[in-house]
Amino acid sequence: MSGRYLRVACTAAVAAAQAVLAPLPALAAPGPGPERPVAELLTDLQQAYRQAEQATETYNATAERLRRQRAEVTRLDGELTIARRSLHTSRTEAGRLARAQYQNAGGISPYVRLLLARDPQHALDEGHVIGELARERAKTVGRLADDERRQTDLARRARTALDTQLTLAEKQRKQRDEVRTRLSDVERMLASLTADQLTALAGLEKDNTADAQRKLTTSGALSSTTPPPSPEGDRAVRYAVQQLGKPYQWGAAGPASYDCSGLTSQAWDHAGTPIPRTSQEQWAHLPHVPLNRLRPGDLVVYFPEATHVALYLGDGKVVQAPRPGAQVKVSPIAANPILGAVRPDPTARSLARYTPPPIPKTAAKGSDEAFPAL
């Protein structure tokens, strides 16, 4: 984590979140006085990033709900338009029948006509026709009543859906402001650091990641061999690798920039298996898989709140969009505290043969940590 990297870590940030989060302490007091330990500085910075990530994923979830709600409003509006046309047709038909009934109100009843008829069979046939007409009138009246009820119900549901959409849009706006606030906190904290502190933080981050990776691999939690991916997993991996070097931007899902779950959701969407948009939904709704059974394309989810996610490449590495100011990169799987892993295509078989996509040597440059838990 270079000084330049840290100072630009949040300059691209603009947007939202909902949760009420505790205020953050200043990283370093201005003016003369003892400097705080580097470990404390890193803890504060990690807390700031974590709060920003929580706000970002909350914003992403609301944005996804708003997208679905807008589609629902559009669908209901279309159904309401059709229902209004049908009601208009039913009312026109009912009016025609009402006029015909009025014009025939003074006629002789079918029973009297039968008694006076010279040809009773012909009269009976006429009576059958009259009965059919009566039944048709009843059907028309029934359709009118049904259309009126359907239009009333659809109008009510459309109003409710629109109200929900407006509520979600207002919530999204507030969440956008919350993300801006949290990322401004990070920028303020970074600006308070000296060049020596930035260098020390970068070294501590690197050491922490290496230590975590070493502990994970020696624990046996990961398999010593990586099975081939499924055909869909292969496509997801290749898509993610093609995004290496593109900037992190919160709330983004490509093609020019990504946040963590934007990258993973788009990788699997391009693989032909759409998955939920946010890391929390991916963790909640996709089948879980043990770490020792990971195959390329699986998703590794981080932190107790499931606020970060990366795509497994194999051999203990992932591709991820780490945090503001960083780029899509290759990282050790243990760069952040692992919550678990999920598999978007649990029933798909692995490829018989697999050649991993080439990874540029520069793909591992930059900070590996995302928004660490405390």
Side-chain angles (χ1 to χ4, degrees):
M1 185 193 320
S2 67
R4 178 179 178 276
Y5 158 69
L6 283 168
R7 293 188 187 281
V8 301
C10 298
T11 55
V14 278
Q18 171 190 13
V20 177
L21 302 170
L24 296 168
L27 279 178
E35 288 189 351
R36 297 174 60 200
V38 173
E40 285 188 15
L41 299 179
L42 182 58
T43 295
D44 288 346
L45 183 60
Q46 289 175 342
Q47 182 182 1
Y49 274 129
R50 182 186 179 190
Q51 292 183 348
E53 180 76 300
Q54 288 174 323
T56 296
E57 287 300 283
T58 299
Y59 171 87
N60 287 340
T62 300
E64 181 64 15
R65 288 180 60 199
L66 181 58
R67 183 190 66 78
R68 293 195 295 261
Q69 191 63 33
R70 283 171 175 159
E72 177 68 3
V73 169
T74 300
R75 183 187 68 81
L76 287 173
D77 284 346
E79 288 191 18
L80 182 58
T81 298
I82 295 172
R84 283 171 173 163
R85 289 173 182 168
S86 179
L87 177 59
H88 177 74
T89 300
S90 296
R91 283 174 173 167
T92 300
E93 181 63 15
R96 185 186 65 77
L97 289 176
R99 289 191 297 273
Q101 182 71 23
Y102 174 78
Q103 292 169 356
N104 295 331
I108 301 173
S109 72
Y111 178 69
V112 174
R113 290 171 59 189
L114 177 61
L115 293 177
L116 299 178
R118 293 182 179 180
D119 186 349
Q121 184 59 49
H122 180 68
L124 285 171
D125 292 340
E126 284 188 336
H128 175 73
V129 173
I130 292 172
E132 287 296 321
L133 290 173
R135 283 188 286 274
E136 184 60 32
R137 289 171 182 168
K139 290 179 182 178
T140 299
V141 173
R143 281 197 300 271
L144 175 60
D146 289 345
D147 287 345
E148 287 180 337
R149 283 192 295 268
R150 177 169 174 75
Q151 187 211 240
T152 300
D153 178 62
L154 282 171
R156 177 186 57 79
R157 289 165 57 191
R159 285 194 299 271
T160 300
L162 181 58
D163 289 344
T164 302
Q165 176 181 314
L166 295 174
T167 299
L168 285 172
E170 176 62 17
K171 179 185 290 187
Q172 185 188 42
R173 184 190 64 78
K174 292 179 179 178
Q175 290 169 351
R176 178 200 62 208
D177 294 342
E178 180 66 21
V179 172
R180 286 175 173 170
T181 298
R182 290 298 151 189
L183 292 176
S184 294
D185 288 343
V186 176
E187 194 172 36
R188 171 182 56 81
M189 294 168 73
L190 294 174
S192 70
L193 297 175
T194 66
D196 289 343
Q197 287 174 321
L198 293 172
T199 301
L201 281 172
L204 184 56
E205 276 190 337
K206 184 176 180 180
D207 291 344
N208 287 347
T209 297
D211 185 54
Q213 185 75 6
R214 183 170 53 254
K215 288 179 179 178
L216 181 65
T217 53
T218 58
S219 71
L222 285 178
S223 174
S224 58
T225 60
T226 301
S230 66
E232 294 83 358
D234 180 32
R235 291 195 291 270
V237 166
R238 293 181 186 280
Y239 178 87
V241 168
Q242 290 172 358
Q243 313 315 308
L244 288 170
K246 292 186 178 180
Y248 177 103
Q249 182 178 349
W250 72 267
S257 56
Y258 298 88
D259 62 17
C260 66
S261 57
L263 176 64
T264 55
S265 61
Q266 283 300 301
W268 274 96
D269 184 67
H270 281 76
T273 303
I275 62 174
R277 167 63 174 89
T278 68
S279 57
Q280 290 99 334
E281 289 178 320
Q282 291 168 9
W283 174 249
H285 298 297
L286 298 178
H288 292 200
V289 60
L291 294 181
N292 60 9
R293 291 178 54 198
L294 280 173
R295 68 186 184 186
D298 290 342
L299 305 183
V300 183
V301 183
Y302 298 93
F303 307 118
E305 302 87 356
T307 52
H308 188 69
V309 63
L311 190 141
Y312 192 59
L313 291 176
D315 297 326
K317 297 184 182 299
V318 296
V319 59
Q320 63 162 338
R323 65 190 186 195
Q327 297 174 337
V328 176
K329 69 181 301 291
V330 173
S331 301
I333 188 175
N336 299 284
I338 298 174
L339 175 62
V342 295
R343 178 167 293 169
D345 60 341
T347 62
R349 293 185 177 182
S350 296
L351 292 167
R353 295 182 179 179
Y354 174 59
T355 301
I359 305 295
K361 292 182 179 179
T362 58
K365 291 182 62 177
S367 175
D368 294 305
E369 292 192 0
F371 301 84
L374 303 180

